[in-house]
Amino acid sequence: QVQLVESGGGSVQPGGSLRPSCGASGNIFSISTMGWYRRAPGKQRELVATISGSSTNYADSVKGRFTISRDYAKNTVYLQMNSLKPEDTAVYYCYVRAFVSREAVGDYWGQGTQVTVSS
């Protein structure tokens, strides 16, 4: 089993910054993809950003403001969020696609961390 522990959410004013992180631990053979999704009140969960190898992918709404990065040695993913807007308010979920053996792969989710942008 793979466990994800998130930290770094919080409340900021518009224009502020946050840098949540997510560490993966447990029976990990390798990790192919790490990323972040979010769910705003009354909306469906949506992709924010993913990183796989050296390739990154961002939602159009966060391009130029958010940067995803990964520490391979620590199995940790970070999301640098700058120029935050009230519409970024949501619960942010860490996502990992991990192999627990050479053949067995699964998708794992963190517990979620609240990000609130308000004046």
Side-chain angles (χ1 to χ4, degrees):
Q1 190 62 284
V2 176
Q3 296 82 39
L4 304 181
V5 178
E6 302 166 357
S7 62
S11 296
V12 295
Q13 293 185 340
S17 299
L18 287 171
R19 188 179 186 241
S21 63
C22 173
S25 62
N27 184 29
I28 298 172
F29 179 76
S30 66
I31 293 176
S32 65
T33 302
M34 302 185 84
W36 294 89
Y37 286 69
R38 68 187 180 187
R39 177 175 285 153
K43 295 186 177 181
Q44 292 187 333
R45 185 172 60 190
E46 63 176 358
L47 179 145
V48 177
T50 61
I51 182 167
S52 179
S54 60
S55 177
T56 57
N57 181 46
Y58 295 93
D60 288 342
S61 60
V62 307
K63 284 181 181 177
R65 300 188 298 121
F66 292 9
T67 302
I68 190 169
S69 62
R70 178 177 166 182
D71 184 328
Y72 287 81
K74 296 180 179 180
N75 283 338
T76 299
V77 64
Y78 305 91
L79 185 68
Q80 179 66 48
M81 304 190 293
N82 298 328
S83 301
L84 282 161
K85 304 175 181 180
E87 51 263 43
D88 294 318
T89 296
V91 177
Y92 284 69
Y93 296 91
C94 175
Y95 162 78
V96 169
R97 173 160 287 185
F99 286 82
V100 295
S101 70
R102 195 174 296 277
E103 295 84 22
V105 63
D107 294 329
Y108 301 91
W109 295 91
Q111 78 280 6
T113 185
Q114 177 70 46
V115 170
T116 302
V117 185
S118 174
S119 55

